[in-house]
Amino acid sequence: MDSQDTSQYEARQTICELGRSLLDDDLTTGTGGNLSVRLDDDHIAISPSGVPYGEIEPSDVPVVRTDGTVVAGDGDPSTELPMHRAVYDRRPDVGGVVHTHSPYATTFASLGEPIPASHYLLAFAGTEVPVTEYETHATEELGEEAVEALGDSANATLLRNHGVLTTESSLADAYSVAQMVEYCARIHYQASVIGDPEILPDEELHRIQGKLDSYGT
Ligand SMILES: [Zn+2]
């Protein structure tokens, strides 16, 4: 294998491994949720549609050109491919995308309420996690709503009455954002049950984001 093949194989293997983690970490159930990696300017790898995560092998993971043509992989691409493509098209900084139906965050999605920063780890996502307008799953329209909600810099949005979409420079980091969003949603839910959680100001979240960025350099 040349180096391009090796990196493509590793990306498809990461999709298999993190797909299994989605179930282990209670971020989704059954075959729900999906993950993708930007391979180069013109290709992404995305989890296959309808295959249980425990059974996905790297050779099953479809490689798709940005025009939507499947160029490799035994499986059909996730039905949410249009949403993933829309994110890579609009956000050149994004290298990985994760979509989950994680229960606490999706609770807020069903209420149509953003998740505010009542815990500092929300800084991984932005200053709050916004909510899109409702669109039917697996449509181009849902992708358009998602990229609009993400804007130029947010790493997470709720998809109204549906779930969560997270992004980062790599798939592993987008997966971490998905975990942080679910954790922050749970804490905010629990704190709201007992009392009135304090929300951190945007300036503090920006300060934390500066510190988080410097860890990665
Ligand atoms: Zn979904």
Side-chain angles (χ1 to χ4, degrees):
M1 283 198 282
D2 66 22
S3 64
Q4 196 182 1
D5 289 341
T6 305
S7 65
Q8 186 183 111
Y9 180 83
E10 285 171 358
R12 293 162 89 191
Q13 193 167 36
T14 302
I15 286 176
C16 299
E17 289 166 2
L18 291 179
R20 298 192 235 292
S21 298
L22 280 177
L23 295 172
D24 293 342
D25 293 336
D26 294 326
L27 293 178
T28 200
T29 56
T31 58
N34 31 75
L35 317 98
S36 66
V37 176
R38 191 200 297 272
L39 297 170
D40 57 39
D41 288 349
D42 201 28
H43 297 88
I44 66 168
I46 186 165
S47 48
S49 175
V51 184
Y53 287 110
E55 297 172 16
I56 299 175
E57 298 296 332
S59 58
D60 297 324
V61 175
V63 175
V64 184
R65 269 210 308 258
T66 43
D67 66 3
T69 314
V70 179
V71 295
D74 296 333
D76 293 326
S78 161
T79 56
E80 293 292 5
L81 175 64
M83 177 165 67
H84 289 250
R85 286 175 57 211
V87 174
Y88 291 115
D89 186 49
R90 267 284 274 285
R91 286 280 299 271
D93 59 310
V94 168
V97 175
V98 175
H99 166 51
T100 79
H101 298 163
S102 63
Y104 283 94
T106 303
T107 301
F108 288 92
S110 288
L111 291 165
E113 283 186 21
I115 305 168
S118 55
H119 192 287
Y120 85 95
L121 286 173
L122 196 112
F124 276 89
T127 53
E128 68 168 11
V129 183
V131 194
T132 65
E133 293 298 313
Y134 178 77
E135 291 289 349
T136 307
H137 73 277
T139 60
E140 304 270 347
E141 288 78 9
L142 179 60
E144 285 164 23
E145 287 294 336
V147 292
E148 191 171 318
L150 287 170
D152 292 332
S153 60
N155 282 329
T157 183
L158 301 175
L159 308 171
R160 190 162 183 153
N161 304 97
H162 180 164
V164 185
L165 187 73
T166 65
T167 68
E168 247 297 0
S169 53
S170 71
L171 176 56
D173 286 347
Y175 189 89
S176 295
V177 176
Q179 289 180 298
M180 299 299 178
V181 167
E182 179 63 4
Y183 177 75
C184 291
R186 180 175 181 173
I187 296 300
H188 188 67
Y189 167 78
Q190 291 175 171
S192 300
V193 169
I194 300 170
D196 191 11
E198 258 188 64
I199 309 303
L200 292 168
D202 287 0
E203 308 86 78
E204 175 60 6
L205 291 157
H206 291 139
R207 205 170 77 85
I208 295 165
Q209 282 156 5
K211 287 163 79 83
L212 294 174
D213 286 347
S214 67
Y215 289 148
T217 57

